[in-house]
Every structure is written in structure tokens, then in C-alpha cells.
Amino acid sequence: MKNQASLYMIMLGCKPKGRFTEQHDIFFGIANSLVDLVEDLKLFWPEAKGQIHIDAWQKVTQVDGYTIEIISKIEKTATNQQQLFFINLGGYKENEFEEYHYKVLTVAQNKAEAIKKAKQTSFYKHYGFKGATSHIDDKYGIDVDDLYDIQEILAKQYKQKYQLHFKPSTSIYKDELHIGYLKIDKITSTM
């Protein structure tokens, strides 16, 4: 059976030259397997000079009661009213010298609806206190460090070839999270 292309969300880590702490970024890519994304991961963060690693990753197939399918732009055009949003919430805990982050994937018709869903998360409700409500953004009005429509931030090579399609689902399946340090050269085709 041939592998089906899937959307991957990957948290990359690196300590670039001149930095004192490890930096992180999120990569979204489309491939049949994680190993197929290795070269794209390296191209995504050129300043890392190939010294990046993975701290977390997941194949994204189910979000908010929708199955996320990858379809070819050549074969068919998706008629979605929904969009898949990535939200990076930032928050604080009293007396802790740290900004914490929580990554949210949500299916919504627009940014306003995505924000409304983000406000329902436990993180949003509990990571802030008077005087430290983290990056109140005038545009969004909540503690959002980053908010993106994933279809818009995919690399050019993915946007030209694929599109996301959302199919309502009653499945209770949750995508498996893979957490922990993984060297890029240790990725195998079984992942």
C-alpha cells in the first residue's frame, strides 16, 4: 500500500552561533513520511547550518472534529469554508522568570473564530496574572504571540502541489505526539 501524503507539524530546536539559549521554531510540511522532510527542515532554518534537531513532532490528521486530508491541486480543488490555524499562545506564571508557550491547532472559518477557540484552552485561562498578560496584541485582543493560517505559511513547493481538505469526522482518534530530542540524522523511514 502506498503511503498517503500527510501534514506534519515539527518543533525544531537549535542554538545558533552567538546565542546563549536554545531557540525554537515550528515547521509545517507535507510528505509521505518524516524522513522525506529532512532536506526541507534544513532549508527552513539555514542559519542553523544543519545543526538543528527535533524537539516534538506530529502527523496532523485530526483537528476539532475534522479529518485533515492532503489533496493534489492537479486532481481536485478543495471547497473548504474552514481553515486550519496554528496559534502560539504566550503566558506567564507569577514569580517565574519565563514566558511559557502553548501551541494550538484549530479548524475555524476565520481568525476571530480561531481566537475564540484559543480562549477556551486551559493554558489561556491559567497562564497570566495582573501586570503580566503577555503580549496583548491590539489586532487580536488576546495573548497571541503568533496566529497563522497553515495553508498560507506552507513553503512554496507544498502550496504549488497540495491543498488541505477538511472532512467532518466523528472519530475520537487523537494524533500521536512525539516528544523528545531527535537528531535529524536519526530519523528513519518508519517514523
Side-chain angles (χ1 to χ4, degrees):
M1 184 171 123
K2 185 181 172 196
N3 284 347
Q4 176 72 28
S6 297
L7 176 67
Y8 286 83
M9 179 170 82
I10 303 167
M11 182 189 304
L12 298 172
C14 176
K15 190 167 125 185
K17 185 177 180 179
R19 300 292 178 190
F20 297 113
T21 61
E22 183 177 327
Q23 314 289 293
H24 292 95
D25 205 348
I26 298 292
F27 171 86
F28 288 95
I30 297 173
N32 291 336
S33 69
L34 188 61
V35 73
D36 293 338
L37 292 171
V38 169
E39 289 308 310
D40 291 341
L41 293 172
K42 292 175 184 175
L43 290 172
F44 174 72
W45 201 345
E47 303 83 5
K49 300 190 185 323
Q51 299 302 308
I52 55 175
H53 62 270
I54 294 175
D55 282 311
W57 68 276
Q58 79 177 83
K59 188 187 303 187
V60 180
T61 65
Q62 298 286 323
V63 177
D64 289 347
Y66 287 89
T67 297
I68 311 302
E69 298 176 331
I70 305 303
I71 60 174
S72 167
K73 279 197 166 179
I74 296 167
E75 293 176 20
K76 143 181 178 184
T77 301
T79 55
N80 293 319
Q81 292 184 348
Q82 305 291 344
Q83 299 167 63
L84 181 59
F85 289 96
F86 167 70
I87 304 170
N88 186 34
L89 293 171
Y92 302 97
K93 291 175 110 178
E94 205 162 3
N95 298 316
E96 292 190 21
F97 192 79
E98 185 68 58
E99 180 185 9
Y100 297 93
H101 288 94
Y102 182 68
K103 280 62 172 151
V104 178
L105 288 177
T106 190
V107 174
Q109 289 187 15
N110 53 50
K111 288 182 178 182
E113 184 182 341
I115 288 168
K116 186 176 180 181
K117 288 183 174 187
K119 284 183 173 183
Q120 302 307 310
T121 65
S122 195
F123 180 90
Y124 178 81
K125 294 175 182 177
H126 300 290
Y127 276 77
F129 57 94
K130 188 175 179 175
T133 52
S134 116
H135 302 42
I136 295 296
D137 186 315
D138 292 333
K139 185 174 180 183
Y140 304 126
I142 66 166
D143 306 346
V144 174
D145 281 349
D146 307 290
L147 172 64
Y148 299 102
D149 175 344
I150 290 177
Q151 189 73 46
E152 292 175 3
I153 64 168
L154 283 170
K156 184 178 177 181
Q157 73 266 23
Y158 304 126
K159 286 196 258 189
Q160 289 176 336
K161 192 174 178 182
Y162 302 109
Q163 58 188 326
L164 304 180
H165 178 67
F166 308 98
K167 190 167 122 184
S169 173
T170 57
S171 173
I172 58 171
Y173 170 81
K174 286 192 168 213
D175 292 323
E176 183 179 357
L177 298 176
H178 303 269
I179 311 293
Y181 184 90
L182 175 61
K183 286 185 173 186
I184 300 250
D185 63 350
K186 299 294 183 196
I187 296 173
T188 66
S189 60
T190 61
M191 299 180 147

